[in-house]
Amino acid sequence: MCGIVGAVARRNVVPLLIAGLKRLEYRGYDSAGLAIINGGLHRVRSIGRVAQLEAQAHAEQVSGNLGIAHTRWATHGAPSIRNAHPHQSRDGIAVVHNGIIENYEALRSQLQQQGYSFESETDTEVIAHLVHSCYARHQDLGLATREAVGMLQGAYAIAVVCADQPHRLLAARLGSPLLIGVGEGEYFLASDAAALIAVTQNMLYLEEGDVVDITLAGYAITDVGGQPVSRASHVSRVSADTAELGPYAHYMQKEIAEQPRAIADTVEKVLALGFVPQLFGDLGHAVLADLDSVAIIACGTSYHAALVARYWIEQIARVPCSAEVASEYRYRDSVPNPRTLIVTISQSGETADTLAALKHAQAQGHRHSLAICNVPESALTRLSTLTFLTRAGMEIGVASTKAFTTQLVALFALAVTLARLRGVLAREAEIEYLDALRRLPNKVQHVLNLEPQLKLWAEQFAKKNHALFLGRGVHYPIALEGSLKLKEVSYIHAEAYPAGELKHGPLALVDAEMPVVAVAPNDALLGKLKSNLQEVKARGGELYVLADNDSHFTSAEGLHVIRMPDYEGILSPVMHVVPLQLLAYHTACRLGTDVDKPRNLAKSVTVE
């Protein structure tokens, strides 16, 4: 969602803050700002991208040894200078904040009665005035921060500076990620490790309810009540190189192209060990042997991975499996089963709805949990019994691509491992599944080679206002993902349906102006799918078919065919999603949209 960076050092921290914000810009990009303490509080805020903030800070010659910075994705109040962070109160107190304060209206009313005036529509400004109110009473910034956050309800990661404390940075977190970076005689703060990789790889991850007091001499972490707590230090695995764009026009293009390597890195451990419970952690065997069903919980693209996995787990392992939208599951009155494995999927591991859904499941008595995640130090992995880390590398484009395909690989490994544990997996099938994983990176590379043909399709899609995506069986979720990608980055309205549902309503939409994309692998449902596509053709619809090389489709008037490699069996969904990613990307490029930073969206959704 939004991004926080803070620093206290003996050098000018403004370039460090700006560089950190640039690395976090994918998390929020409607406004940005910074506050520097140097003989008083100096605040700079701008609408739009971090580059505009950088130019403004340079023009104003802002510098100092202590500062906080923020890039915003709007929740309360439209993008504007007055709603941009940092927000400030009297006596040079400034605050940046990620999350949502649920009781901000009541707190705002109380503070207005105390004589505080508000210039913004945000919930964050309440925090600034609340800290000042407490500071005015105690004259202790640490105590004031702890007392203030004790009054907040909701989710927050905050950083606080004060004009008369020129080398002191306070921060706290509850429900939103925050970490400390430890340098040589200097200290940093960020909501994501990516912001700090250029200055340090030594990091500590704050836990729920932590408050940290950082100075040049070091840091002290306490709970809200002031009791000291200890947090382990980690060496971040994030590489600075992964954040570089290189020869690509956009991060989305780069990340689509990186999928063969990301998949190869993710399957490396599986190929080395086989389908064994230890893939998921030391408790893998104890947990996976003690389940009788699986419930997968996720949001957005990760939810589409869950839908694919439902087919795989039931087909391969013969285990009942459900897929749940996290934001719905956490409020649904479900029937708990302690022997259900709760699987959560999240690229960042910080998705608020998914974290809350996992906590809800645990409160319901579900004791077994598995996180499939791309970030080893995330909140989701720390909350879960088992973990499978996808090795996609940093994903910066808001529209997820390589994270999705590596999630599919992880879920496939889970399905086959469960089958092996339950004794329903023939040795011949196990060998074939391993061979299929071994072939997969090369097969995906072959699909990437189809990019010129997909660019030609994109030229036609860029002229349309709507599109329909169809798939059957395990490829229906792939149609859903293709539809989502087109919506996210091109702003073309798109829907996806199981092809068999076409005649039950969506066929009414089909005409020459509604392109219909069909995912058509050479599987057992191909004959049924061809019949469904005839329904489209008979209504004058324009068909765009992604067909395997051996599935006997021929291009004709109103029928455009791209031939994929030969059918890859059960892992076909991994291959068929790649051309849909490329179609969305090139359509967006033709339309001139901001591909990596689509309007109204953010990468890591850390608010409900």
Side-chain angles (χ1 to χ4, degrees):
M1 201 62 93
C2 305
I4 288 174
V5 188
V8 54
R10 291 183 173 84
R11 54 175 163 161
N12 179 20
V13 300
V14 173
L16 309 179
L17 298 178
I18 294 291
L21 287 188
K22 286 181 176 179
R23 292 187 182 277
L24 295 187
E25 195 167 15
Y26 66 95
R27 297 184 65 146
Y29 40 86
D30 61 45
S31 61
L34 56 83
I36 298 295
I37 305 299
N38 186 2
L41 174 68
H42 303 272
R43 182 171 59 154
V44 183
R45 298 183 294 174
S46 70
I47 300 301
R49 302 302 160 80
V50 174
Q52 294 167 262
L53 177 70
E54 181 179 28
Q56 192 173 335
H58 179 73
E60 297 182 22
Q61 298 183 327
V62 178
S63 66
N65 305 129
L66 170 67
I68 53 177
H70 189 268
T71 182
R72 179 175 185 254
W73 185 81
T75 53
H76 293 73
S80 66
I81 292 291
R82 66 192 183 98
N83 288 330
H85 297 216
H87 290 284
Q88 69 179 47
S89 187
R90 304 167 189 168
D91 300 327
I93 285 179
V95 170
V96 292
H97 163 230
N98 289 352
I100 290 180
I101 305 304
E102 294 173 356
N103 62 333
Y104 85 99
E105 290 176 327
L107 291 171
R108 184 182 180 115
S109 177
Q110 294 170 19
L111 289 162
Q112 285 173 329
Q113 291 173 19
Q114 295 175 33
Y116 289 93
S117 59
F118 288 78
E119 68 168 31
S120 77
E121 303 166 76
T122 69
D123 53 344
T124 302
E125 193 176 2
V126 163
I127 304 172
H129 292 318
L130 196 58
V131 171
H132 179 269
S133 175
C134 297
Y135 186 61
R137 291 196 305 275
H138 303 300
Q139 295 301 302
D140 182 324
L141 190 60
L143 179 56
T145 302
R146 291 196 302 272
E147 184 175 332
V149 299
M151 301 179 200
L152 303 178
Q153 297 173 13
Y156 57 79
I158 67 169
V160 182
V161 293
C162 180
D164 63 7
Q165 305 274 310
H167 300 292
R168 195 175 185 193
L169 172 60
L170 269 293
R173 70 147 293 189
L174 183 72
S176 286
L178 203 58
L179 59 96
I180 304 166
V182 180
E184 294 187 10
E186 55 189 15
Y187 298 88
F188 309 94
L189 191 75
S191 51
D192 189 310
L196 304 182
I197 54 178
V199 291
T200 183
Q201 289 186 304
N202 297 320
M203 301 179 187
L204 294 89
Y205 292 82
L206 299 180
E207 300 288 351
E208 298 283 64
D210 283 356
V211 181
V212 61
D213 192 339
I214 305 172
T215 68
L216 285 171
Y219 58 87
I221 307 173
T222 69
D223 60 19
V224 174
Q227 293 300 309
V229 296
S230 177
R231 301 298 176 216
S233 177
H234 299 269
V235 176
S236 176
R237 304 179 197 177
V238 176
S239 165
D241 293 340
T242 61
E244 302 302 326
L245 189 57
Y248 297 96
H250 301 93
Y251 281 106
M252 184 178 180
Q253 183 187 31
K254 174 178 183 276
E255 288 155 9
I256 291 171
E258 288 174 340
Q259 287 177 112
R261 170 50 54 194
I263 291 169
D265 289 345
T266 301
V267 303
E268 181 180 21
K269 191 175 181 180
V270 182
L271 296 178
L273 299 178
F275 298 106
V276 295
Q278 289 84 353
L279 291 171
F280 306 93
D282 293 340
L283 297 176
H285 189 277
V287 170
L288 299 183
D290 187 41
L291 61 86
D292 61 13
S293 60
V294 176
I296 312 176
I297 301 170
C299 303
T301 286
S302 296
Y303 173 66
H304 296 156
L307 290 174
V308 173
R310 182 178 63 180
Y311 286 93
W312 282 343
I313 289 171
E314 294 196 343
Q315 176 183 343
I316 300 171
R318 312 306 299 165
V319 175
C321 181
S322 63
E324 301 268 3
V325 175
S327 58
E328 290 295 310
Y329 173 79
R330 61 183 292 197
Y331 295 114
R332 187 166 67 79
D333 189 12
S334 57
V335 180
N337 173 7
R339 295 191 63 203
T340 294
L341 175 68
I342 301 295
V343 179
T344 53
I345 314 173
S346 169
Q347 187 282 138
S348 67
E350 305 290 349
T351 307
D353 285 323
T354 306
L355 286 168
L358 174 57
K359 292 173 185 176
H360 172 72
Q362 291 170 336
Q364 292 281 93
H366 292 101
R367 61 183 184 272
H368 301 320
S369 59
L370 163 64
I372 293 175
C373 183
N374 194 41
V375 181
E377 305 95 344
S378 67
L380 195 67
T381 60
R382 296 198 299 271
L383 277 173
S384 302
T385 314
L386 305 178
T387 300
F388 189 106
L389 291 173
T390 57
R391 297 175 62 190
M394 186 185 297
E395 189 180 65
I396 293 176
V398 166
S400 181
T401 53
K402 62 178 179 174
F404 177 71
T405 48
T406 54
Q407 287 168 357
L408 290 180
V409 167
L411 290 160
F412 180 76
L414 174 64
V416 182
T417 301
L418 288 175
R420 191 169 183 263
L421 267 178
R422 294 169 66 83
V424 296
L425 181 68
R427 179 58 182 162
E428 296 78 9
E430 183 177 357
I431 292 170
E432 172 51 31
Y433 290 152
L434 284 170
D435 286 342
L437 285 177
R438 193 174 287 110
R439 294 191 300 268
L440 191 58
N442 191 47
K443 288 278 191 174
V444 170
Q445 184 59 57
H446 284 310
V447 177
L448 289 170
N449 295 338
L450 300 171
E451 188 168 6
Q453 297 175 60
L454 289 154
K455 289 176 75 171
L456 293 175
W457 278 17
E459 291 179 12
Q460 300 306 312
F461 274 71
K463 302 172 186 176
K464 307 298 183 182
N465 296 315
H466 309 276
L468 193 63
F469 289 72
L470 302 176
R472 294 209 68 148
V474 72
H475 293 86
Y476 163 53
I478 299 306
L480 284 169
E481 178 60 11
S483 167
L484 178 61
K485 283 293 153 286
L486 190 67
K487 281 182 280 198
E488 283 180 313
V489 298
S490 76
Y491 316 146
I492 293 172
H493 170 247
E495 296 187 49
Y497 288 92
E501 283 294 294
L502 194 63
K503 57 187 174 292
H504 296 297
L507 199 56
L509 298 172
V510 172
D511 60 19
E513 293 304 308
M514 171 76 85
V516 179
V517 180
V519 182
N522 189 18
D523 61 10
L525 292 172
L526 180 62
K528 298 289 185 183
L529 178 65
K530 285 184 174 182
S531 297
N532 301 141
L533 299 187
Q534 287 298 329
E535 298 167 4
V536 173
K537 200 171 180 183
R539 272 78 179 177
E542 196 87 359
L543 279 166
Y544 294 80
V545 180
L546 293 169
D548 289 335
N549 193 43
D550 47 1
S551 59
H552 308 295
F553 273 94
T554 303
S555 296
E557 183 70 27
L559 174 60
H560 312 273
V561 179
I562 288 180
R563 297 199 174 280
M564 305 272 288
D566 288 344
Y567 178 55
E568 190 50 34
I570 202 159
L571 284 171
S572 172
V574 182
M575 295 171 57
H576 274 272
V577 77
V578 176
L580 299 181
Q581 296 168 348
L582 288 167
L583 175 63
Y585 170 73
H586 285 293
T587 302
C589 289
R590 291 285 298 180
L591 292 169
T593 66
D594 194 337
V595 176
D596 289 331
K597 302 178 180 69
R599 67 187 183 200
N600 305 331
L601 301 180
K603 182 65 177 174
S604 179
V605 186
T606 55
V607 297
E608 182 180 354

